[in-house]
Amino acid sequence: MAKKKQKTHKPWSLEAGGIAEKLDVDPGKGLTESQADSRRRTHGANVLRKKEEKSPWVVLLNQFKSVIIVLLLLAAGLSFVFGKNMQGIAILVALIINAAVGFFTELKAVRSMEALEKLGKVSTKVLRDGNITSIPADKLVPGDVVVFEGGDIISADLRIYECSKLQADESTLTGESTPVNKSAQAVDEETELADRSSMLFKGTSVSRGSGKGIVTATGMETELGEISSLVEQAEEEITPLEKKLNRLGNNLIWVTIGIAVVLAGMGILSGKPVFIMVETSIALAVAAVPESLPVVATIALAKGMWRMAKKNAVVRRLSSVETLGSTSVIFADKTGTLTENKMSVKKIFLKNEDIEITENGSFVSGGKEITPQEDEGLRQVLKNGVLCNNASLGAEDEDNGSVHGEPLEVALLEAARKCGMERDDLVKELPEQKEVAFDPEVKMMATYHKTDGEFHEAVKGAPEEVIASSGRVYLTEGEVGDLTDEQKKDWLSRADKMAEEGLRVLAVAQKSRDDAEGEPYDDIVLLGLVGFYDPPREEIKPHIEKCRKAGMRLVMVTGDQPLTARSIARQLDLVEDADPRVVMGKELSREKEQMDDDEKKKLIRADIFARVSPADKLDIISLHQKDGSIVAMTGDGVNDAPALKKADIGIAMGKRGTQVATEAADMVLKDDSFATIISAIEHGRVIFANIRKFILYLIPCHVSEVTAIALAPLLKMPLPILPLQILFLNIITDIFPALALGVSEGSSRVMEKPPRDPEEPIITRPHWLWITVHGIIMGLAVLVSMHTARAWLNVSTETAVTISFLTLGLTSLWHVFNVREKGSGLLTNDVVRNPFVWLAVLLGILLLCAAVFVPGLNSVMQLYAPDFRGWGLAVIVSLIPLLIGQIEKSFKQG
């Protein structure tokens, strides 16, 4: 008997404890694994609309939906009508073989893309058996206790059980553009969706705060599931590139069908046999269809994306692969991308003391080691830095897995621990009552702590903001003094000096208050400055140089001080000027319409943007996009999501990034490294180059067939190749060499060229000229071979057709070497180095021999083995287009 689903009626109106009781869960321990498994069997997976794997039957059916199949069926039918039964049967067999090859190739591509999609699954933190664990979001069940914090995506409907300073972005559900406040307090059961403050809903995100919630609904039973069809989640993504390829293939088909109809009509009107002209027209139409174009493109994309994933770059949107190759400007965060994101406190500046923390953890002042526990000024700075803090270290003997929080806040906790201070002990002594969250505009945060009938306020933030808000300064134990404007300038000067050393500088302050209300940063007491060192990633220097050679600009974007940013940029050789310009975020806050062209150009040319807010990032992107740049932008926080969406390529940090940033991004870096960005761009360029290469290979092969068939009647020659033979050759050329080119590792010179113009078509006019010329040369080679066989070797028409068949097959196989990159060496190019190309050529030659020598197959194909002279003729003539192509490549350097 099936278990009844546990659906909670209007959970927002019930007390949090009542929800836990109704769903039979202990909020402190969560469900057991066996309970979760049982409920999952009842409720199913937590998905809105399960995207079913494409059935093999669907893939097989797709093989019979093309114009080429209609043409083949027409050819088979006409063969039976005109008494050519064996040819009709052979065409049907070829149709089945063609469909089988297409089926297995497309199925491989489909399964590859489905596997890639699974790399980007969202995970959720839940309490299971009393332990916090991360599970795939589709495994959530009603009753699960979810642990969330700012930046998390909400994966099911939750009744908030407990929370702190919680806000949620519900724009995807309600259309409300600003974050809404949330609490654990029940609301009236008639409350509208947008006002249910005790609930978090699937598809929304936590913009601030933290807490726990109990899952009340999953999948299609959630509010999102009930009000939205979300059809797009089940739709297959077709990239602009694939659309262009489909359009290219269709255009070729219809143009050739038109030519075939005209040719047949002219021939019949001139008195030629109807069957011969119809057969010629069908052969012409079949020859023109590059049916493997879309499939090979999909495989090239999938293979390239797999290579990126192995190099720690997970591309979440297929269309982004095309854009990657066109990227011209990369905006990279300093912290974690250009630096190691391993913060440590190096210097602490007090009113009358300058303290340095050595690598072995010693505290040095005035060249002498001091005992930190005895330095009250030092203790006050670290104490307030620990109180105004959301990170956690865990016990000293625990591994790094117990460390949670921003690296800067973790570094403060580590420095305090060296002074014998632990956050847990301080919070027990001074319980936190309120937090004023960090505001990117104000650049400060504060916490309020209860102590002896009053409140102790701890503040930390950007030096210029904290110093400006300070009216007094800490002198000695229990004593403070006034902070004059002149002294403020001195403090700012010292902050600048620390920043010039490459340190990230933070100011710490405090204040005693009667209550926790009022302006948090009014007349606070400045305690000191803390300098953090985050070492630059030395290993990315060659990648920065590679970036320059590839015609891309690398721009540092940071919320840090300008001097710190400039110091790190110099250490990484990111800037070439001795005194590079740093644009401040406040410069971007001006109305862009008020800037003249010269001002905009100066902004665009800057290599460093400092003190940048999330809103400033949008302005930076807009300025560069209006200038025609293709922009890649990195980000990791909740507030970075708009910039990640606006950029042509949004890049989220996989290690330190929030789920909101990850969802907004086009690509996720699993190692947060700038080197991975360059590697991904290189792969993006290679993928496009591979697709262009196999088009440049494929279409001339078909043009050569059309040329030979179309010119033969005009030259009063027999049909040089029959429809069935064309099908056989197309299987060889359209699948094996084309696939080999599609999965090539690419040219070593791909990052020595400027970015591709995104408006540039796959095949440009020079390419079309190249395709036409080479296609005609290859087609003429076939006719020359046939004419020579008949006129000089005096062979029968049937044997001459066999020689022309072999000439066309060999010419097409050799042509793969003509698509090497311009300026590459004859024997040192990516085509020659590709082992799959050689394997494809060898396989093609074996199949040509099989068609001629295997009994039964040769009779069906109407092929007759020529003598050594015939073979020699086919081989020699087939090499002529290759020779012409290689000579042409040698004269077209660059």
Side-chain angles (χ1 to χ4, degrees):
M1 182 177 176
K3 292 187 179 181
K4 187 177 179 181
K5 290 187 176 183
Q6 293 170 279
K7 186 169 176 64
T8 308
H9 182 66
K10 298 184 177 179
W12 55 89
S13 64
L14 302 176
E15 292 299 326
I19 291 290
E21 187 177 339
K22 267 186 171 294
L23 291 170
D24 189 24
V25 62
D26 179 350
K29 294 183 177 179
L31 299 174
T32 64
E33 287 297 337
S34 59
Q35 284 178 310
D37 290 340
S38 175
R39 296 184 188 195
R40 195 175 302 112
R41 286 192 292 271
T42 302
H43 293 268
N46 175 35
V47 290
L48 286 177
R49 198 177 286 276
K50 183 171 175 60
K51 187 171 181 180
E52 300 290 342
E53 288 190 351
K54 187 178 283 189
S55 165
W57 292 108
V58 173
V59 177
L60 182 61
L61 185 63
N62 287 342
Q63 308 309 311
F64 295 92
K65 289 183 178 179
S66 67
V67 176
I68 183 69
I69 298 300
V70 175
L71 292 173
L72 289 174
L73 289 173
L74 179 61
L78 287 172
S79 297
F80 289 124
V81 168
F82 286 97
K84 304 281 187 174
N85 295 334
M86 183 59 70
Q87 180 172 302
I89 293 171
I91 291 175
L92 291 176
V93 171
L95 187 151
I96 294 171
I97 293 172
N98 190 69
V101 173
F103 167 74
F104 288 111
T105 307
E106 184 175 342
L107 188 64
K108 170 75 173 174
V110 167
R111 292 293 181 258
S112 294
M113 297 312 300
E114 288 171 349
L116 279 167
E117 288 172 5
K118 294 176 183 177
L119 291 176
K121 294 282 186 180
V122 173
S123 61
T124 300
K125 292 193 290 289
V126 297
L127 267 175
R128 288 275 174 87
D129 295 313
N131 298 312
I132 295 179
T133 184
S134 184
I135 65 170
D138 59 2
K139 301 294 184 185
L140 284 175
V141 296
D144 258 327
V145 178
V146 175
V147 181
F148 50 79
E149 60 185 351
D152 284 352
I153 298 291
I154 300 302
S155 304
D157 285 0
L158 310 178
R159 172 63 170 90
I160 300 167
Y161 185 77
E162 61 182 48
C163 66
S164 172
K165 312 165 192 72
L166 184 61
Q167 289 185 333
D169 178 357
E170 296 186 338
S171 56
T172 55
L173 188 64
T174 66
E176 176 63 50
S177 59
T178 58
V180 293
N181 293 319
K182 296 289 183 177
S183 76
Q185 300 300 313
V187 296
D188 187 80
E189 65 178 34
E190 299 305 320
T191 303
E192 294 295 326
L193 178 67
D195 298 320
R196 294 171 190 167
S197 57
S198 59
M199 296 289 294
L200 290 173
F201 300 106
K202 182 178 177 69
T204 64
S205 60
V206 179
S207 53
R208 178 189 166 195
S210 59
K212 290 197 297 188
I214 300 173
V215 176
T216 58
T218 58
M220 294 303 290
E221 293 177 353
T222 61
E223 294 292 341
L224 190 61
E226 290 180 7
I227 67 174
S228 174
S229 60
L230 291 181
V231 175
E232 67 272 13
Q233 289 204 0
E235 290 180 349
E236 187 175 355
E237 181 185 9
I238 299 178
T239 71
L241 178 62
E242 290 175 306
K243 290 176 182 176
K244 289 175 185 175
L245 290 175
N246 288 332
R247 190 161 54 245
L248 174 63
N250 289 334
N251 289 342
L252 285 172
I253 289 170
W254 294 114
V255 167
T256 309
I257 287 177
I259 294 172
V261 170
V262 171
L263 188 65
M266 289 174 60
I268 292 171
L269 289 174
S270 64
K272 292 184 178 178
V274 174
F275 176 73
I276 295 296
M277 293 314 303
V278 170
E279 185 180 43
T280 301
S281 298
I282 290 174
L284 190 64
V286 171
V289 184
E291 58 267 28
S292 66
L293 265 182
V295 175
V296 177
T298 304
I299 288 177
L301 286 167
K303 184 70 175 178
M305 289 172 71
W306 270 116
R307 284 175 178 159
M308 289 187 206
K310 289 178 180 178
K311 296 287 183 68
N312 294 316
V314 178
V315 178
R316 301 184 64 251
R317 294 174 178 84
L318 191 61
S319 55
S320 303
V321 177
E322 303 166 41
T323 313
L324 270 171
S326 301
T327 301
S328 54
V329 179
I330 305 170
F331 292 107
D333 269 333
K334 175 184 74 68
T335 304
T337 307
L338 301 177
T339 62
E340 295 182 6
N341 203 27
K342 295 178 181 177
M343 291 280 188
S344 59
V345 176
K346 287 295 182 185
K347 283 191 176 181
I348 297 176
F349 180 79
L350 309 175
K351 177 69 173 71
N352 300 307
E353 192 176 13
D354 194 356
I355 299 171
E356 184 174 348
I357 302 177
T358 63
E359 290 187 7
N360 62 10
S362 300
F363 289 75
V364 177
S365 177
K368 296 180 180 179
E369 187 173 337
I370 63 171
T371 304
Q373 290 84 351
E374 297 176 0
D375 191 312
E376 188 58 28
L378 172 63
R379 288 182 60 80
Q380 286 298 323
V381 169
L382 293 177
K383 170 187 169 182
N384 284 274
V386 167
L387 289 173
C388 189
N389 200 307
N390 288 314
S392 62
L393 277 182
E396 279 192 82
D397 57 352
E398 291 181 342
D399 59 23
N400 289 335
S402 61
V403 176
H404 299 285
E406 287 290 322
L408 183 142
E409 293 192 328
V410 170
L412 277 171
L413 298 185
E414 290 172 338
R417 176 172 281 177
K418 293 171 185 175
C419 287
M421 283 186 283
E422 296 287 345
R423 189 173 193 278
D424 290 345
D425 297 334
L426 287 173
V427 172
K428 285 178 184 177
E429 181 185 341
L430 301 168
E432 183 178 326
Q433 302 295 307
K434 176 183 175 182
E435 176 184 318
V436 180
F438 179 80
D439 186 335
E441 298 298 324
V442 179
K443 296 187 176 69
M444 291 184 284
M445 72 169 288
T447 54
Y448 292 77
H449 303 265
K450 190 79 172 174
T451 171
D452 298 330
E454 59 179 9
F455 288 89
H456 175 88
E457 180 188 1
V459 178
K460 76 175 191 292
E464 63 270 25
E465 303 298 339
V466 175
I467 292 170
S469 300
S470 298
R472 293 168 294 164
V473 62
Y474 185 89
L475 299 175
T476 59
E477 186 173 355
E479 292 186 26
V480 297
D482 291 335
L483 187 63
T484 66
D485 289 343
E486 197 61 36
Q487 288 175 326
K488 286 183 179 182
K489 289 180 181 178
D490 184 49
W491 278 93
L492 287 172
S493 176
R494 290 176 176 181
D496 287 346
K497 185 178 179 181
M498 294 170 76
E500 285 175 351
E501 297 173 16
L503 300 180
R504 182 172 181 179
V505 187
L506 202 67
V508 181
Q510 67 179 19
K511 186 175 182 179
S512 294
R513 294 180 172 274
D514 294 330
D515 55 47
E517 305 304 321
E519 169 56 45
Y521 308 116
D522 179 40
D523 195 33
I524 54 181
V525 178
L526 179 64
L527 294 171
L529 302 173
V530 183
F532 302 81
Y533 185 60
D534 183 11
R537 292 179 183 256
E538 291 292 331
E539 73 276 8
I540 71 170
K541 282 186 179 181
H543 295 282
I544 292 174
E545 183 58 31
K546 194 173 186 180
C547 183
R548 287 197 187 99
K549 286 184 178 179
M552 296 183 292
R553 287 186 58 232
L554 172 61
V555 180
M556 179 191 289
V557 179
T558 179
D560 236 337
Q561 292 108 311
L563 294 173
T564 305
R566 185 181 280 136
S567 174
I568 296 297
R570 284 172 177 158
Q571 291 179 57
L572 287 172
D573 297 332
L574 187 148
V575 290
E576 297 176 327
D577 295 340
D579 187 26
R581 186 190 176 197
V582 180
V583 173
M584 297 281 284
K586 60 186 178 183
E587 294 181 57
L588 295 161
S589 61
R590 295 174 51 194
E591 290 294 326
K592 301 302 171 292
E593 289 74 14
Q594 295 177 4
M595 290 186 188
D596 58 32
D597 289 340
D598 287 339
E599 286 180 302
K600 288 180 180 178
K601 285 179 181 176
K602 286 180 182 178
L603 281 176
I604 289 170
R605 283 198 295 265
D607 293 315
I608 304 171
F609 289 84
R611 281 291 186 242
V612 170
S613 70
D616 294 331
K617 287 188 176 184
L618 294 175
D619 293 331
I620 295 171
I621 293 169
S622 294
L623 277 171
H624 285 78
Q625 287 177 331
K626 286 177 182 176
D627 191 52
S629 297
I630 301 299
V631 176
M633 171 69 82
T634 67
D636 57 10
V638 179
N639 292 325
D640 288 328
L644 291 174
K645 286 183 178 179
K646 184 171 181 58
D648 299 287
I649 291 289
I651 304 170
M653 303 297 112
K655 281 185 174 180
R656 70 178 191 273
T658 60
Q659 288 185 346
V660 172
T662 301
E663 285 295 302
D666 303 291
M667 185 170 78
V668 179
L669 305 182
K670 292 192 288 185
D671 59 357
D672 292 5
S673 172
F674 174 76
T676 303
I677 299 175
I678 301 302
S679 176
I681 290 173
E682 182 174 2
H683 278 90
R685 291 188 177 192
V686 166
I687 289 170
F688 187 88
N690 286 347
I691 291 174
R692 177 172 276 174
K693 271 194 183 77
F694 78 66
I695 293 174
L696 291 175
Y697 165 74
L698 208 57
I699 297 182
C701 292
H702 289 270
V703 170
S704 68
E705 295 169 354
V706 172
T707 299
I709 294 167
L711 290 180
L714 299 177
L715 298 174
K716 302 186 183 309
M717 294 176 65
L719 202 59
I721 186 166
L722 305 178
L724 194 58
Q725 296 168 358
I726 293 171
L727 286 173
F728 187 85
L729 288 179
N730 285 356
I731 290 173
I732 294 175
T733 58
D734 286 19
I735 300 299
F736 305 116
L739 273 177
L741 290 171
V743 298
S744 169
E745 292 189 2
S747 167
S748 58
R749 301 172 60 209
V750 74
M751 293 297 280
E752 296 176 10
K753 299 177 180 179
R756 180 182 62 87
D757 182 349
E759 299 301 318
E760 180 183 290
I762 306 173
I763 302 299
T764 63
R765 287 185 178 181
H767 288 137
W768 278 117
L769 178 62
W770 189 90
I771 285 169
T772 304
V773 169
H774 278 270
I776 291 173
I777 290 172
M778 292 163 68
L780 290 175
V782 174
L783 294 175
V784 167
S785 178
M786 185 177 195
H787 174 73
T788 303
R790 295 176 70 208
W792 291 4
L793 301 184
N794 295 318
V795 299
S796 65
T797 299
E798 291 80 5
T799 303
V801 168
T802 301
I803 293 172
S804 62
F805 164 82
L806 291 171
T807 303
L808 181 56
L810 292 171
T811 300
S812 298
L813 290 174
W814 306 148
H815 178 62
V816 73
F817 299 106
N818 280 338
V819 299
R820 66 181 170 93
E821 187 183 31
K822 289 187 294 183
S824 60
L826 180 65
L827 301 175
T828 56
N829 58 77
D830 61 312
V831 177
V832 170
R833 289 197 309 266
N834 187 343
F836 296 109
V837 165
W838 291 102
L839 186 62
V841 170
L842 177 61
L843 184 58
I845 292 172
L846 292 175
L847 288 172
L848 286 175
C849 293
V852 173
F853 292 116
V854 173
L857 178 60
N858 53 14
S859 60
V860 169
M861 298 280 294
Q862 299 182 49
L863 294 171
Y864 302 88
D867 57 20
F868 73 94
R869 295 179 306 157
W871 276 98
L873 175 63
V875 171
I876 291 170
V877 174
S878 71
L879 288 171
I880 294 173
L882 173 64
L883 182 62
I884 294 172
Q886 294 302 307
I887 292 172
E888 175 254 348
K889 289 289 181 183
S890 66
F891 282 105
K892 294 184 74 174
Q893 300 296 312

